[in-house]
Amino acid sequence: MNHMATEKISGSEALIRSLLAENVKTIYGYPGGAIMPVFDCLYDYKDRVRHILVRHEQGATHAAQGHARVSGETGVVLVTSGPAATNIITGVTDAMIDSTPLVVITGQVASSLLGTDAFQETDVVGITQPVTKWSYQIRRPEDIAWAVARAFYIARTGRPGPVVLDMAKDAQQGTVEFQYKKCDYIRSYVPYPPINDADVQRAADVINAAQKPLLLLGQGVVLSHAEPELTALVEKADIPVGCTLLGLSALPTDHPLNKGMLGMHGNVGPNIKTNECDVLIAVGMRFDDRVTGDLRTYARQARIVHLDIDASEFDKNVKTEVAVLGDAKESLSRLLPLLEEKKHTDWIESFTPCERREYETVIAPELFSSSGPIQMGEVVRKVSEATGNRAVLVTDVGQNQMFGARYFKFTQTRSIVTSGGLGTMGFGLPAAIGAKIGAPDRTVCLFVGDGGLQMTVEELGVIMQYDIDVKIILLNNSFLGMVRQWQQLFFQERYSETPMSNPDFVTLASAYGIKGRRVETREQLDEAIAGMLAHRGAYLLDVAVEEKGMVFPMTPAGTCVTNIMLNVDEKY
């Protein structure tokens, strides 16, 4: 526990000191009337905490998400009341679904004005309660330290997520005898439930009996820092692995047991083998519909073992035989010594025909075209390899996201930042800014479409003001590409409101002092990528890609996980 000496200070200063006590070094925010006392106090602490002035409050939440995802820290947001508070809802919801720890502080009108429809008053607690782990209104300066300590404890423990503190203006302006005590216990909240050793033994018995096991690796492995335990487990028991979108970088791409991504646009092998395995082991994942497809046909032949810290995920979508409730790192640590050393050579080799056919039918044409328009996948792979496969991949949402996930390679954990569950267009640019600030020594590569970039394009101003070295690769097809793909496949090529007239993005970037280049031919691509990576500072590479490029493989929504389209005309 951390105690600070008692001293009488303003509520605003109590807030700043509370944040410092939680080791906050960066705040993403935007000032306004109802939070102005805090920003005035922040002026005196500029040497101890860095504030990043975003251009839109949604951008603050996404930047804080990017920061949290690469660093493992809790992202912090500070905005005013009314429209500022409503503008944070998308990012807060995104963080809730993707288990990202945030503490978001909103200003609020004075407590005497609550309920009067005062200027820029909104019911922030009522709006945010459904999409947060905790939402609380601070009306007295005496409650500030307590609330902040509780907020950080809730946000970062157990299954992480966002917390919102709505701070009345008079709480900021009043004075308080300040003493900070970190929170490490809340009676009604059990972030790390005790692990039942009998459940672990039952899981081990099921896994040891398996002839054709398959492990599904989710983001929970990353959040619990369980990568070493996971790797040791799959190597000891010789279990092939399929990764969720957010779990991709937890196991190196080239690990022989890593069979690729699960889901709608995932790799053929892990999807096909889901319906052939005899034991399915899910670790830190929630059986999202984009992974399972039609639940009535999903892994019906398999015994299901599910390890998760959130009991509400058990049997929510897929019925489990053994559920192990607890932190993934501890659960895997207890499970590992109980597993027998195995070799599943024939089972693992059975993935080879899937991999070969996917490579010949999908991957090779995407990566190694010698004529025609530039393909999105080849841009992603070339950038990844040019960074030594060591960069942080940030994506927006859409085709750029799926191509990024499929063709970027990972050699270290916490290397993918993307909007998974909510699928938020506009996420990419501010998230890349936060990722670079959160991991300043790493190269950050943002892949974004022309649609998503324009949703939060104003955040280029943040890059300009703070000289943030983000490499922006714009996969520009002048379409809302993923929607257009569905229109082509399922709506008789009726391209309703998906073609886009775009600005000159290189000129637009230059207005913010960001160097850029437009690439229209394959022959220019390697040189342009090298130039982008060699440039010190932010860079926008606008690549003209095939207008009607398609992300394959694809399992149509709501169908069996093995109903895989390899291209427009061919199924697996």
Side-chain angles (χ1 to χ4, degrees):
M1 296 183 182
N2 181 28
H3 297 266
M4 297 180 67
T6 301
E7 182 183 355
K8 195 157 191 175
I9 57 175
S10 71
S12 294
E13 187 164 5
L15 175 63
I16 301 301
R17 290 200 188 183
S18 297
L19 296 176
L20 290 172
E22 292 292 343
N23 201 32
V24 173
K25 297 181 177 65
T26 306
I27 299 171
Y28 300 89
Y30 204 97
I35 199 68
M36 202 173 294
V38 174
F39 273 89
D40 181 68
C41 181
L42 191 61
Y43 190 85
D44 295 324
Y45 284 85
K46 287 192 290 187
D47 60 334
R48 298 183 63 185
V49 62
R50 184 185 190 192
H51 180 269
I52 302 296
L53 178 65
V54 297
R55 291 343 189 223
H56 189 284
E57 292 88 358
Q58 181 180 342
T61 57
H62 294 328
Q65 285 176 274
H67 188 130
R69 294 267 281 273
V70 298
S71 68
E73 300 168 357
T74 300
V76 180
V77 174
L78 181 66
V79 299
T80 192
S81 64
T86 57
N87 282 343
I88 57 106
I89 300 302
T90 297
V92 168
T93 307
D94 195 296
M96 186 66 179
I97 295 177
D98 284 352
S99 304
T100 305
L102 298 184
V103 171
V104 180
I105 301 158
T106 61
Q108 183 55 276
V109 301
S111 55
S112 61
L113 295 176
L114 290 170
T116 68
D117 291 332
F119 178 65
Q120 292 192 334
E121 179 194 0
T122 54
D123 181 4
V124 174
V125 172
I127 293 170
T128 58
Q129 272 184 334
V131 292
T132 55
K133 286 186 73 177
W134 185 51
S135 186
Y136 181 77
Q137 188 171 75
I138 301 172
R139 300 187 183 186
R140 306 184 312 147
E142 292 83 359
D143 296 332
I144 291 170
W146 170 87
V148 171
R150 190 179 178 98
F152 275 87
Y153 179 62
I154 292 172
R156 67 183 170 219
T157 55
R159 182 176 181 173
V163 169
V164 169
L165 297 178
D166 188 45
M167 194 171 180
K169 195 168 185 178
D170 49 331
Q172 302 168 42
Q173 294 171 319
T175 58
V176 61
E177 294 282 345
F178 179 72
Q179 185 179 33
Y180 194 78
K181 179 182 177 183
K182 283 195 174 185
C183 178
D184 58 8
Y185 172 76
I186 298 173
R187 185 177 60 181
S188 59
Y189 172 59
V190 184
Y192 301 107
I195 294 173
N196 186 317
D197 286 330
D199 291 336
V200 177
Q201 184 62 62
R202 289 172 59 218
D205 292 343
V206 171
I207 297 169
N208 285 335
Q211 299 298 311
K212 297 187 290 185
L214 177 63
L215 187 141
L216 311 185
L217 187 166
Q219 189 193 198
V221 172
V222 178
L223 296 174
S224 64
H225 308 282
E227 297 91 342
E229 290 78 9
L230 186 284
T231 303
L233 184 146
V234 298
E235 289 177 350
K236 180 179 183 181
D238 202 30
I239 303 174
V241 176
C243 300
T244 67
L245 175 63
L246 298 185
L248 274 175
S249 68
L251 190 66
T253 304
D254 63 358
H255 192 288
L257 290 171
N258 189 342
K259 298 303 176 182
M261 185 171 71
L262 300 160
M264 177 178 284
H265 294 288
N267 294 101
V268 170
N271 284 329
I272 289 288
K273 297 301 175 179
T274 294
N275 277 14
E276 294 180 14
C277 66
D278 60 357
V279 172
L280 194 67
I281 308 130
V283 184
M285 56 88 71
R286 58 192 175 88
F287 289 110
D288 172 71
D289 64 290
R290 288 294 171 99
V291 165
T292 66
D294 184 359
L295 287 168
R296 295 171 299 179
T297 61
Y298 181 78
R300 305 299 293 179
Q301 80 295 337
R303 304 171 75 184
I304 309 294
V305 176
H306 193 176
L307 283 66
D308 206 282
I309 201 167
D310 186 349
S312 70
E313 295 297 346
F314 296 140
D315 300 327
K316 184 174 77 175
N317 296 321
V318 174
K319 179 67 177 175
T320 61
E321 179 173 336
V322 181
V324 179
L325 177 64
D327 176 73
K329 189 176 185 73
E330 185 177 354
S331 297
L332 292 171
S333 296
R334 295 194 189 191
L335 182 60
L336 181 59
L338 302 178
L339 294 185
E340 300 169 0
E341 289 196 24
K342 295 276 190 175
K343 285 295 178 186
H344 297 108
T345 305
D346 291 344
W347 166 238
I348 292 170
E349 287 181 352
S350 74
F351 283 75
T352 302
C354 301
E355 294 165 349
R356 183 180 299 120
R357 188 168 176 196
E358 181 179 356
Y359 181 83
E360 293 172 350
T361 309
V362 180
I363 296 174
E366 183 69 32
L367 296 184
F368 305 115
S369 295
S370 58
S371 61
I374 301 170
Q375 303 298 309
M376 294 190 209
E378 70 177 302
V379 180
V380 173
R381 179 59 60 85
K382 283 179 179 290
V383 172
S384 179
E385 291 179 344
T387 68
N389 302 317
R390 294 188 298 270
V392 175
L393 168 69
V394 184
T395 82
D396 205 79
V397 167
Q399 288 184 319
N400 64 88
Q401 180 183 38
M402 292 296 101
F403 276 115
R406 284 185 54 80
Y407 294 108
F408 211 80
K409 292 183 176 182
F410 304 102
T411 56
Q412 65 186 91
T413 192
R414 292 191 180 269
S415 292
I416 181 167
V417 179
T418 192
S419 173
L422 195 62
T424 304
M425 286 183 68
F427 173 90
L429 181 58
I433 291 168
K436 183 62 182 179
I437 295 171
D441 296 330
R442 300 191 65 188
T443 300
V444 173
C445 294
L446 165 66
F447 288 88
V448 62
D450 41 303
L453 180 59
Q454 291 181 85
M455 282 197 169
T456 51
V457 70
E458 72 281 350
E459 303 305 333
L460 291 175
V462 180
I463 292 176
M464 174 184 67
Q465 182 165 343
Y466 299 99
D467 189 22
I468 298 170
D469 186 1
V470 172
K471 310 306 184 188
I472 304 165
I473 302 96
L474 172 59
L475 301 176
N476 190 345
N477 58 8
S478 298
F479 267 103
L480 296 176
M482 188 62 87
V483 181
R484 186 213 57 76
Q485 176 166 333
W486 282 50
Q487 289 172 333
Q488 179 174 339
L489 294 174
F490 310 120
F491 291 88
Q492 297 78 50
E493 301 184 31
R494 290 158 58 89
Y495 300 127
S496 176
E497 301 305 316
T498 48
M500 297 191 76
S501 297
N502 288 322
D504 180 336
F505 287 103
V506 174
T507 299
L508 180 61
S510 71
Y512 288 94
I514 298 170
K515 188 175 177 60
R517 178 176 176 179
R518 167 86 168 175
V519 172
E520 297 183 338
T521 67
R522 183 168 284 108
E523 292 70 28
Q524 300 171 311
L525 192 55
D526 288 343
E527 176 202 350
I529 291 171
M532 172 186 70
L533 294 175
H535 176 71
R536 189 229 158 267
Y539 197 102
L540 186 143
L541 187 64
D542 178 5
V543 184
V545 295
E546 182 178 357
E547 280 195 352
K548 296 186 178 181
M550 305 282 277
V551 188
F552 287 113
M554 180 180 184
T555 302
T559 67
C560 180
V561 72
T562 60
N563 180 29
I564 300 173
M565 301 172 64
L566 296 176
N567 53 46
V568 174
D569 302 312
E570 184 178 359
K571 288 188 176 181
Y572 187 83

